[in-house]
Amino acid sequence: MIKKYSIKELLDQGCSFLNKEVLVEGWIRSFRYSIFIILNDGSTIKNLQIVLSKKLEKKIIKKITIGTSIKVIGIIKKSIGVKQYIELKSSNIIIYGSINSDILQKSILQPKKHSLEKLREQAHLRFKTSIFSSIMRIRHYIAFSIHKYFHEHGFFYLHTPIITTSNCEGTGKMFQITTMDLKNDYPIDYKKDFFKCKTYLSVSGQLEAETASIGLGKVYTFGPVFRAENSNTSRHLSEFWMIEPEIAFYHLDENMNLAENFLKFIIKYILDNCMEDLLFLNENIKKCKKNTLLEKLELILKFPFQKISYTKAVEILNKEEKKNKIKFHHSVLWGEDLQSEHELYLVNNYFNRVPVIVFDYPSCIKAFYMRVNKDKKTVRAMDILFPEIGEIIGGSQREERYDMLLKRIKDSNIDKNKLWWYLDTRIFGSVPHSGFGLGFDRLVQFITGMNNIRDVIPFPRTPSNAEF
């Protein structure tokens, strides 16, 4: 029986397949001179050249168009062409599905350059394009490296609920879940609803992960989260994926070191395992930037991350504004959150594109669960800022003291009754613990060099858009 191989296997081990009969399947990228087929099966950015047999019937040749899916049996030969080392000389070809030329002309599969916006309009077809298939392969390797890192460092993978009754951050809009007819079932009695209470799609699995870390030591979540905010920017999605590790007996310094080590591990893994796709993106994404895609990624590994307090960051920004006569759109004031323009100036300009960790933020702009410092004004929070995209990780040492946590919940006008179980963990053997959240899609965006986060997720969910 003739063995089937992926195109990646054949191209990676070309010498060992010479003069062997093999079977390959894939989609046609191009068809030249009625004899040369360029085939791809999604396993690699590279293509395999198929040389059609002269004995092939004309009726089969007429059915061959770009996008047609085929099965080919043939002998691997050394190619006389300079663009490939091997090629497949076919002895038999079977067409699975062909494309009508009129339909092809209206699709993104036609052989011409399309804008990324156009690809998004046909998101169900863009997996067949070189650029999107390349991004999806890298996305897979990033996800795999995340699980690999945590497994090798003694973390346990935790599945936290997608349906929740509370907002982890205490602010922001959430997507409500109900089986009731809210227009006609008035007055609304949520005891008649499916869960007998008001429920939402989760914005984070952090609180549940904290409870697990107190019993398991090291845990992490990796799943979808949802935010109903009308943020229609190139960095925001309504449905996105988050990684959230929680570690017992960890203080803020240990948390910052873990986050830096974690990010560097991922980027090194991608550089080691996705070079072909990175090189393709490096050549095909034209940007007017100081560094190429590869140089940008290598720079993350080259230097230790810079660590500065929030207070120092405000001081630097104010001095830079006066010294260099920079005019920020938003004023830099202690006690107010740093805006994207401030974050990007720090990392891109002041620290010359080396990632920055900003820590000890004012308590008034951070979530209730963050540990209050001795000054009573700041909390043990930290954000990691990356060049081009700004904040990529947000984390903190959690407030393990019951009285302090209860006060923060009350000060934040959060119903403590909904968080009774969370407060309970501070009664039954509470420990110092820390964690952070990494926006997976934003990390993919950074590593692939894409301008818009909608181009790094298969089917983006954004305000006014839930197609496919």
Side-chain angles (χ1 to χ4, degrees), residues 302-318:
K302 191 173 182 180
F303 301 105
F305 291 5
Q306 294 287 335
K307 295 183 176 75
I308 58 170
S309 69
Y310 165 88
T311 300
K312 182 65 175 176
V314 170
E315 181 184 315
I316 288 171
L317 290 166
N318 281 320

Side-chain angles (χ1 to χ4, degrees), residues 10-15 17-18 47-49 76-79 84-88:
L10 294 175
L11 296 177
D12 286 352
Q13 305 169 47
C15 293
F17 286 106
L18 285 175
N47 304 307
L48 177 66
Q49 179 165 283
I76 294 291
K77 294 290 184 179
K78 189 173 180 179
S79 177
Q84 60 276 328
Y85 177 72
I86 62 169
E87 59 189 18
L88 180 63

Side-chain angles (χ1 to χ4, degrees), residues 149-150 155 206 219 243-263 305 307 357-359 369-370 380-384 393-398 432-438:
Y149 178 87
F150 285 128
F155 283 74
Q206 178 203 310
V219 301
I243 301 100
E244 297 176 295
E246 289 292 329
I247 316 98
F249 306 106
Y250 251 48
H251 297 268
L252 184 64
D253 288 344
E254 295 168 295
N255 197 34
M256 290 192 288
N257 292 337
L258 172 72
E260 178 177 349
N261 184 263
F262 174 56
L263 287 169
F305 291 5
K307 295 183 176 75
I357 305 180
V358 182
F359 61 92
Y369 51 75
M370 299 185 178
R380 303 255 72 193
M382 66 95 171
D383 288 340
I384 297 184
I393 275 182
S396 72
Q397 183 174 335
R398 315 311 190 189
H433 59 288
S434 299
F436 59 81
L438 166 65

Side-chain angles (χ1 to χ4, degrees), residues 238-298:
S238 301
E239 177 188 65
F240 54 101
W241 287 70
M242 284 283 287
I243 301 100
E244 297 176 295
E246 289 292 329
I247 316 98
F249 306 106
Y250 251 48
H251 297 268
L252 184 64
D253 288 344
E254 295 168 295
N255 197 34
M256 290 192 288
N257 292 337
L258 172 72
E260 178 177 349
N261 184 263
F262 174 56
L263 287 169
K264 286 184 173 180
F265 177 90
I266 295 168
I267 289 172
K268 186 177 186 307
Y269 189 86
I270 297 306
L271 285 168
D272 289 344
N273 292 277
C274 300
M275 188 53 71
E276 287 182 353
D277 285 311
L278 288 173
L279 288 171
F280 173 79
L281 293 175
N282 193 59
E283 293 172 5
N284 287 275
I285 302 173
K286 298 187 182 298
K287 293 182 177 182
C288 298
K289 292 184 178 175
K290 294 180 181 178
N291 307 85
T292 67
L293 180 58
L294 296 179
E295 288 172 340
K296 177 186 76 172
L297 297 178
E298 288 164 354

Side-chain angles (χ1 to χ4, degrees), residues 321 326-332 339 341-342:
E321 194 168 23
I326 300 163
K327 185 63 180 174
F328 293 120
H329 183 72
H330 297 90
S331 299
V332 185
Q339 302 296 317
E341 60 175 332
H342 306 144

Side-chain angles (χ1 to χ4, degrees), residues 399-440:
E399 183 58 81
E400 84 278 11
R401 299 165 294 183
Y402 178 86
D403 292 342
M404 292 297 293
L405 180 61
L406 182 60
K407 183 179 184 305
R408 290 277 286 151
I409 288 173
K410 288 179 179 178
D411 290 346
S412 302
N413 295 317
I414 297 171
D415 184 358
K416 67 175 184 177
N417 294 320
K418 289 184 177 180
L419 292 175
W420 65 268
W421 53 274
Y422 185 67
L423 284 163
D424 254 14
T425 60
R426 272 61 174 178
I427 298 172
F428 292 91
S430 182
V431 302
H433 59 288
S434 299
F436 59 81
L438 166 65
F440 178 67

